[in-house]
Amino acid sequence: MLQLRPNCECCNTDLSPESTRARICTFECTFCADCTEGVLAGVCPNCGGELLPRPRRPAAKLATYPGSTQRVFKPQGCQSPAGA
């Protein structure tokens, strides 16, 4: 089950489980659409995988299966992926 992390790793923008602006890679690294489309150019800086829109969990399931509260933030901000 996806963790639905609550923020962008680069800029720390809040990303609710319902957000259409969240992007993830296959390791669930989470970024906002602005960082993804900007400096990251659609590539995860952690693993080099592509960043795609994160699926939204149906509202009826969020009560039983809430999103994660653990924030992952890299204070150095967005770094373009190696080799990009």
Side-chain angles (χ1 to χ4, degrees), residues 3-17 28 30 67-75:
Q3 292 179 359
L4 302 178
R5 294 179 186 166
N7 66 303
C8 174
E9 289 186 26
C10 288
C11 69
N12 209 27
T13 294
D14 290 335
L15 297 167
S16 70
E28 293 188 61
T30 303
S68 174
T69 58
Q70 180 181 359
R71 297 178 79 85
V72 176
F73 176 56
K74 303 199 169 138

Side-chain angles (χ1 to χ4, degrees), residues 1 3 5 8 11 16-17 21 34 46 48 50 56 60-61 76:
M1 181 176 325
Q3 292 179 359
R5 294 179 186 166
C8 174
C11 69
S16 70
R21 307 280 302 152
D34 292 337
N46 301 322
E50 69 181 322
R56 290 174 285 154
K61 298 291 184 184
Q76 70 272 18

Side-chain angles (χ1 to χ4, degrees), residues 29-62:
C29 301
T30 303
F31 303 93
C32 69
D34 292 337
C35 289
T36 296
E37 294 161 10
V39 69
L40 298 177
V43 179
C44 178
N46 301 322
C47 71
E50 69 181 322
L51 294 167
L52 298 171
R54 179 179 72 189
R56 290 174 285 154
R57 188 161 297 149
K61 298 291 184 184
L62 279 171

